[in-house]
Amino acid sequence: MHELHYTYGLIDEDSKREVRRALLKAVALPGHQVPFASRDLPIARGWGTGGLQITLALIAPEDVLKVIDQGDDESVNAVNLRRLIAQTTGVSLTAVTADATVIQTRHRIPEERLRADQILVLQVPMVDPLRWVEPNLERATVMHGEADYGRMWVYMYESVVRAGDLRIATQYPVIVADRYLMDTTPIPRWDVPKLHQADALFLFGAGREKRIYAVPPHTSVAPLEFEDVPFRVEYTPGQRCARCGCGDSFLTSHAVSDADGATRWVTTCSDTSFCAARQAVP
Amino acid sequence: MGYIAARGGTAAILNAEVLVEHYRSRGGTPPLTLDQIQHQLRHAVGRAMHEGALYAPHLAALAVKQAEGDSIEASFLLRAYRATLPRVMATLPAHGRLMQCARRISAAFRDIPGGQLLGPSTDYQIRLLRATLARESDDDIARIATLVEGFAATHADGGIGHFPKVVDHLRAHQMVVPVPTATDATEPFDITRQALQFPCPRSARLQALAQADTGSLLTYAYSSVRGYGDAHPTLAELRYGHLPIAVAHPVDGSAVWIGELEATECETVSKAHSVRAGDAAPRFHLGYGFTYGQGEVKAISMAILDSVLNQVRSGGLSGESGPAADEEFVLLHSDGIEASGFTAHYKLPHYVTFEADLQVLERAKRHAATNAGGRLGRALAAAFANAAADEEDGDA
């Protein structure tokens, strides 16, 4: 059997063009879910195939790529996706957010404000916030078409009554450009305000669900909230990263072994390159 | 101090790949050849092809080898390979009546035009482990070949050939609901080029079912005949053999035969009372199933589901509907590659989402502790409890 050869960016050119057409439509209709066929990639469904198809369809040889997972450049899946993109395109790679032109991410938006010449590609597991109240796609599509989000408000209200707060940890629902209800992917609430009136372009790809959507630069992104129960980000007064000392970043917990073998928990920045840069500054 | 959090770098991933190769080969046995897999594990190869939705027996054998026999992994490898290929053109519709049948049976009629042909089937085998297979020799294989030559000598027609279709007979007697048939000029909906949206055309449904996981289709179809539905199918015909494939000549449009597929085709009819309400002429609903290779259980399951969904679309479904009658539910949850990929993704780190979850949990705990729900909250909780109690009463 002869050796198998693959094209630049792995997917055939017609398919990449189709992804780009869906992207253009998504940018033109902020927050609207655009169906696309979604090719099968050598990465499992649910592991970032939507984001990967966007990246492969967009990336040019002169681009500089950063891939993060949980904010971390060295997380297993980030390493693996970066390896596939590098193998099939040969683009330059970086961990430094400011140096990247295309950033593919799962579950986080980098802490540094992104610039107008940067594109953030988000991997999306669940495309539609309406899934919580209407799992049937045919009916949910009609609800989006009519901007009929009443049941979502009832869901939010019940969550306040039962839990005392909007009981949504990640993939917080937002209204984009005063029109479409949109899922923010499992980014924490901390990252949601970064989507609002940003300089950069945010592209969302859901491979298994076969949808693409976008938040173009300078677009209004408003989290669902009540006048008396406002949207709040995760923040504990006095919180600090154990490594860089940052007081206003998203932190995750880690178990640390002391010299005497005892385990204790510390919190550190989830965005590792942001944290490393702060540590490097004397 | 060391951070325990898993940040598997490139080295760990590369080592994991080597370890997989090692676990596959460490038994010290001779490497499996693709020819051996293709011919002696033909059901594994067939399943990789129909679930991977790519007809490529030799590549499927490679996928089975690489996946160490894991059927979903093998079909995943083939499906991913398919995505690197450009789509050249659609074939002309392949007519099952042109199949060179090695097997065709009908459960609807004892005598069918052309007769029943059992062919290669384990249906009536006593499923006892045959210890002699453990010591199979080249001589044994030669003996089998001699026996089969004997079959051909006693049956002048060789038992293999073309047969009329049972459903053609039903159609001729106006016994089945006509299914809109695409003309040769119509391109079918292609789910590899357009996202599945609902309501979807039947060609999209059939494609989705054809590449679905065998076990998933079996579960839905079984649920529909066992108690969560009212399918009651009759198997009009099941045939297995080689199906010739043609494309339209790019210049004059004439059919050009480009090869043949090993395939299984199944047609079921629904029970008679599932006819369209108010229809002057009561008829059966058809269901269609197709797989590469000899995937009989999947072909039958697919035909049952297609029939149920046809009945739903026409408004003719009677009795219990059940999950198998929900087209979105069936089509969106039966793709083995998508379902397994997403289920397995929970192995990925979820530090960020879990941290956010922890904060929500903390807030909810504080809320419960201070009973901050107040009068309205308690009233609402009581209302929910009453509603739940009413539902239980209703069930009883």
Side-chain angles (χ1 to χ4, degrees):
Chain A
M1 179 180 287
H2 62 86
E3 192 63 32
L4 302 171
H5 294 285
Y6 298 104
T7 182
Y8 175 87
L10 189 71
I11 315 168
D12 73 90
E13 288 304 322
D14 289 341
S15 300
K16 281 190 278 195
R17 187 180 302 157
E18 179 197 314
V19 173
R20 290 194 290 265
R21 273 199 294 262
L23 286 170
L24 289 173
K25 187 170 176 184
V27 168
L29 294 167
H32 171 63
Q33 300 161 37
V34 180
F36 81 116
S38 187
R39 298 299 183 269
D40 293 274
L41 298 178
I43 299 293
R45 292 292 202 202
W47 295 57
T49 56
L52 193 54
Q53 285 179 79
I54 292 178
T55 300
L56 291 173
L58 283 181
I59 203 154
E62 60 275 17
D63 271 313
V64 181
L65 174 75
K66 172 181 166 79
V67 183
I68 49 175
D69 187 314
Q70 312 287 296
D72 190 343
D73 295 86
E74 288 306 315
S75 185
V76 275
N77 205 42
V79 167
N80 210 33
L81 294 176
R82 191 162 51 232
R83 190 166 60 130
L84 176 69
I85 301 166
Q87 269 176 10
T88 56
T89 63
V91 295
S92 337
L93 305 169
T94 184
V96 180
T97 302
D99 292 348
T101 56
V102 176
I103 303 171
Q104 182 170 331
T105 178
R106 171 171 172 265
H107 293 191
R108 278 309 312 275
I109 295 176
E111 299 289 355
E112 294 109 309
R113 187 176 172 88
L114 298 174
R115 297 185 312 264
D117 62 333
Q118 293 179 303
I119 297 176
L120 189 75
V121 178
L122 292 103
Q123 303 167 196
V124 179
M126 299 294 181
V127 281
D128 197 340
L130 289 180
R131 194 73 49 87
W132 301 341
V133 295
E134 179 48 79
N136 182 279
L137 299 188
E138 200 173 324
R139 289 193 288 269
T141 306
V142 173
M143 287 167 73
H144 277 296
E146 297 172 347
D148 170 15
Y149 300 134
R151 284 161 69 191
M152 196 65 205
W153 285 106
V154 172
Y155 176 91
M156 304 287 280
Y157 172 73
E158 289 183 353
S159 131
V160 170
V161 171
R162 288 176 172 178
D165 193 3
L166 300 165
R167 194 176 43 179
I168 302 164
T170 55
Q171 63 185 115
Y172 199 93
V174 294
I175 295 281
V176 179
D178 302 320
R179 175 60 182 85
Y180 285 106
L181 183 70
M182 188 190 89
D183 189 302
T184 51
T185 92
I187 57 171
R189 294 176 181 207
W190 178 263
D191 288 338
V192 171
K194 295 176 189 162
L195 294 167
H196 178 63
Q197 299 296 348
D199 297 321
L201 169 63
F202 299 101
L203 301 174
F204 299 75
R208 184 178 43 84
E209 296 281 348
K210 304 175 184 62
R211 296 291 185 278
I212 280 173
Y213 54 96
V215 175
H218 311 295
T219 302
S220 142
V221 175
L224 297 193
E225 60 184 349
F226 297 106
E227 277 174 19
D228 52 342
V229 186
F231 168 81
R232 283 182 299 173
V233 298
E234 300 89 348
Y235 180 73
T236 313
Q239 68 173 37
R240 283 266 175 275
C241 168
R243 273 184 286 196
C244 75
C246 183
D248 61 347
S249 63
F250 186 80
L251 305 177
T252 52
S253 313
H254 302 255
V256 175
S257 330
D258 285 333
D260 59 4
T263 300
R264 64 189 172 85
W265 288 84
V266 297
T267 53
T268 60
C269 290
S270 124
D271 185 339
T272 52
S273 73
F274 169 78
C275 190
R278 281 180 50 89
Q279 290 174 71
V281 176
Chain B
M1 77 181 189
Y3 287 98
I4 297 169
R7 295 178 73 212
T10 311
I13 292 176
L14 294 176
N15 289 346
E17 285 178 4
V18 174
L19 279 173
V20 169
E21 293 296 283
H22 173 60
Y23 273 58
R24 185 173 60 77
S25 59
R26 67 180 172 173
T29 53
L32 283 173
T33 68
L34 297 193
D35 282 340
Q36 278 184 306
I37 295 170
Q38 188 181 333
H39 299 298
Q40 295 193 44
L41 298 179
R42 65 188 178 94
H43 291 305
V45 169
R47 184 166 180 179
M49 291 195 296
H50 58 70
E51 294 179 9
L54 182 71
Y55 191 83
H58 210 56
L59 286 177
L62 175 62
V64 169
K65 175 172 171 147
Q66 191 176 325
E68 301 179 65
D70 181 319
S71 66
I72 286 183
E73 182 70 19
S75 54
F76 175 20
L77 289 165
L78 270 194
R79 192 91 71 88
Y81 176 68
R82 183 187 69 174
T84 67
L85 306 172
R87 194 185 84 154
V88 182
M89 64 200 304
T91 69
L92 294 171
H95 293 288
R97 62 183 68 87
L98 296 183
M99 182 184 275
Q100 180 88 359
C101 293
R103 164 167 166 79
R104 56 99 60 155
I105 54 169
S106 172
F109 303 104
R110 192 184 60 168
D111 295 310
I112 47 175
Q116 308 249 12
L117 173 65
L118 191 56
S121 172
T122 55
D123 286 348
Y124 299 97
Q125 231 178 47
I126 309 296
R127 271 24 177 258
L128 294 174
L129 278 174
R130 282 190 290 130
T132 50
L133 264 189
R135 302 183 300 274
E136 194 176 34
S137 66
D138 290 345
D139 286 347
D140 294 328
I141 288 172
R143 205 168 301 122
I144 299 166
T146 315
L147 282 173
V148 172
E149 278 167 29
F151 293 172
T154 52
H155 303 275
D157 57 2
I160 294 176
H162 298 109
F163 296 91
K165 303 249 311 190
V166 173
V167 291
D168 284 346
H169 167 73
L170 298 174
R171 280 202 185 95
H173 292 82
Q174 279 87 43
M175 284 193 277
V176 293
V177 176
V179 176
T181 49
T183 64
D184 286 8
T186 321
E187 282 244 345
F189 189 96
D190 184 346
I191 59 169
T192 71
R193 291 298 181 272
Q194 280 173 274
L196 200 51
Q197 282 179 283
F198 297 94
C200 67
R202 183 160 176 258
S203 62
R205 174 207 300 165
L206 291 174
Q207 276 177 60
L209 293 174
Q211 66 173 37
D213 171 56
T214 304
S216 305
L217 290 197
L218 176 61
T219 299
Y220 290 139
Y222 177 54
S223 74
S224 150
V225 295
R226 188 193 147 270
Y228 290 83
D230 202 12
H232 292 269
T234 299
L235 201 153
E237 184 169 350
L238 176 76
R239 48 171 63 192
Y240 157 70
H242 286 85
L243 184 64
I245 298 297
V247 294
H249 190 282
V251 178
D252 63 18
S254 63
V256 180
W257 299 100
I258 57 169
E260 55 183 21
L261 305 173
E262 192 189 333
T264 303
E265 190 186 50
C266 176
E267 276 147 326
T268 61
V269 291
S270 61
K271 66 175 178 180
H273 74 65
S274 68
V275 292
R276 201 183 303 234
D279 198 335
R283 294 175 188 204
F284 294 117
H285 270 283
L286 278 179
Y288 183 81
F290 180 89
T291 70
Y292 296 144
Q294 194 176 0
E296 297 185 4
V297 159
K298 176 166 163 183
I300 296 167
S301 302
M302 175 175 166
I304 291 171
L305 291 168
D306 179 46
S307 164
V308 168
L309 297 172
N310 279 336
Q311 292 169 53
V312 172
R313 279 275 172 237
S314 70
L317 188 75
S318 57
E320 288 294 313
S321 51
D326 184 334
E327 186 157 39
E328 283 198 25
F329 190 81
V330 171
L331 299 190
L332 292 178
H333 301 112
S334 55
D335 189 293
I337 292 159
E338 294 185 347
S340 69
F342 195 64
T343 306
H345 110 281
Y346 290 106
K347 291 186 278 189
L348 284 176
H350 282 78
Y351 315 139
V352 166
T353 44
F354 191 63
E355 192 70 39
D357 271 338
L358 286 175
Q359 301 217 8
V360 169
L361 181 72
E362 280 307 316
R363 280 199 297 272
K365 275 161 81 176
R366 282 200 300 275
H367 174 73
T370 57
N371 193 20
R375 207 151 50 90
L376 176 62
R378 281 193 297 276
L380 210 61
F384 282 130
N386 284 339
D390 287 350
E391 253 170 51
E392 273 171 30
D393 292 347
D395 290 345

